[in-house]
Amino acid sequence: MTSKDIFQYAQNNWNRYKKSITVISETGKMDNQGNPISLVKSDLMIYCFDDISENIYHDKRKDKTASVDGMIITNEVVYLVEFKSGFKRKITKENFDKTKMICDKTKEFCESYANLFFEKSTKEIEELKTNIRLKTIESYWTFEKEVFPSCQELQPPKSNYRIEMIVVIDGNSDDAMLSTLEQLSAGAEADDIFSAIKRSLKKYKRIKDSNDNDYYYDEIKVMSTYEFEAFIKQIDIPA
């Protein structure tokens, strides 16, 4: 939470960094026609926080500071948004076809190859989760150390802005359902990627400093692309 007028500062300084969600959520991959693949397709214009961070740090440090992809500012909340693909797996331990893992020599199912395949998949997912954590931390640092000091204090009757983090991933639809059920259950932990990411980020939610002041994020959410598309349709973004 912050008492700084981030909306006004953004209006005065960052309008040139606005891009559509379609552009900001590009995955870096191309479809069969050579067009960029986006995690979420929407013409809604939001701030490209990657570009903002690049501008802030371009003459301050050689190594690029990690930053989330986008930022949405409403009248009450600043949402930092990270779009991350690579979690959705066509082949899982539950559905893999043993005939695709036949040893050339023995002509039989190779358990060692299968184990290596899934170990590699697990390692890739852990690397994605680590990257999200880094962006979660350093994006907040950018706000606290570089943005907040440049903003004016909010004037009454406006109240403090909440700072929330949203991670949008391409996880399997069944995992998204499990995550929703976990939220509704009494303390049970679901074994799905949405819940796992949220648990890995919970230490960055409402931490108390030595003066009993909150810092880091007021809320952290992990959404599927469908959940995010529904979310952006119901929030009110000031012009």
Side-chain angles (χ1 to χ4, degrees):
M1 189 167 289
T2 180
S3 62
K4 299 294 186 176
D5 194 344
I6 300 174
F7 174 77
Q8 192 59 56
Y9 182 82
Q11 288 282 79
N12 293 341
N13 297 278
W14 291 341
N15 281 336
R16 66 186 184 278
Y17 297 120
K18 281 189 172 181
K19 295 179 180 178
S20 71
I21 289 176
T22 298
V23 172
I24 291 177
S25 70
E26 287 179 359
T27 64
K29 298 180 180 180
M30 301 289 181
D31 62 19
N32 294 334
Q33 286 72 47
N35 301 312
I37 297 175
S38 298
L39 201 57
V40 177
K41 291 187 177 181
S42 170
D43 293 330
L44 181 65
M45 303 293 285
I46 66 174
Y47 296 102
C48 178
F49 197 70
D50 268 333
D51 289 351
I52 291 170
S53 183
E54 183 72 31
N55 177 261
I56 289 173
Y57 292 110
H58 78 279
D59 60 350
K60 294 186 178 182
R61 54 190 298 175
K62 293 181 180 178
D63 55 320
K64 186 180 184 298
T65 299
S67 58
V68 298
D69 297 311
M71 177 175 61
I72 302 171
I73 304 177
T74 71
N75 284 320
E76 299 177 344
V77 187
V78 176
Y79 299 99
L80 297 184
V81 188
E82 173 64 10
F83 299 98
K84 185 66 70 179
S85 63
F87 289 100
K88 189 172 184 178
R89 303 283 156 155
K90 292 182 179 180
I91 302 176
T92 67
K93 289 184 178 180
E94 289 72 29
N95 71 6
F96 83 98
D97 183 356
K98 287 187 176 182
T99 63
K100 302 297 184 182
M101 298 182 181
I102 299 296
C103 177
D104 291 336
K105 293 182 179 179
T106 65
K107 305 302 179 183
E108 296 179 352
F109 167 66
C110 181
E111 186 174 356
S112 295
Y113 175 72
N115 290 337
L116 285 173
F117 176 86
F118 289 115
E119 285 174 8
K120 179 176 180 293
S121 178
T122 298
K123 183 178 179 181
E124 290 171 350
I125 288 175
E126 287 303 315
E127 288 175 350
L128 291 172
K129 288 165 62 180
T130 298
N131 181 262
I132 290 172
R133 283 197 297 272
L134 182 62
K135 291 187 173 189
T136 298
I137 296 167
E138 296 201 359
S139 294
Y140 184 86
W141 287 352
T142 296
F143 260 95
E144 185 177 74
K145 303 302 182 183
E146 301 291 341
V147 177
F148 291 164
S150 300
C151 297
Q152 299 294 319
E153 290 289 330
L154 283 167
Q155 299 301 312
K158 285 188 176 181
S159 58
N160 292 346
Y161 276 105
R162 288 171 54 84
I163 310 295
E164 298 190 8
M165 175 77 180
I166 298 177
V167 181
V168 185
I169 67 170
D170 61 343
N172 296 320
S173 56
D174 288 346
D175 283 347
M177 185 178 297
L178 284 172
S179 179
T180 300
L181 291 174
E182 179 190 27
Q183 295 173 30
L184 297 175
S185 66
E189 289 193 352
D191 184 21
D192 67 275
I193 191 59
F194 291 86
S195 300
I197 294 172
K198 190 169 184 178
R199 288 194 293 269
S200 75
L201 299 176
K202 67 180 180 180
K203 65 177 67 176
Y204 311 116
K205 177 181 173 181
R206 288 199 294 269
I207 307 300
K208 296 285 188 181
D209 64 16
S210 58
N211 295 316
D212 204 37
N213 297 313
D214 289 337
Y215 68 99
Y216 272 134
Y217 299 91
D218 294 285
E219 185 60 75
I220 297 176
K221 301 171 182 174
V222 184
M223 299 182 180
S224 68
T225 55
Y226 304 106
E227 289 172 323
F228 184 73
E229 287 168 357
F231 167 77
I232 58 177
K233 289 178 181 177
Q234 56 89 24
I235 59 173
D236 183 19
I237 302 177

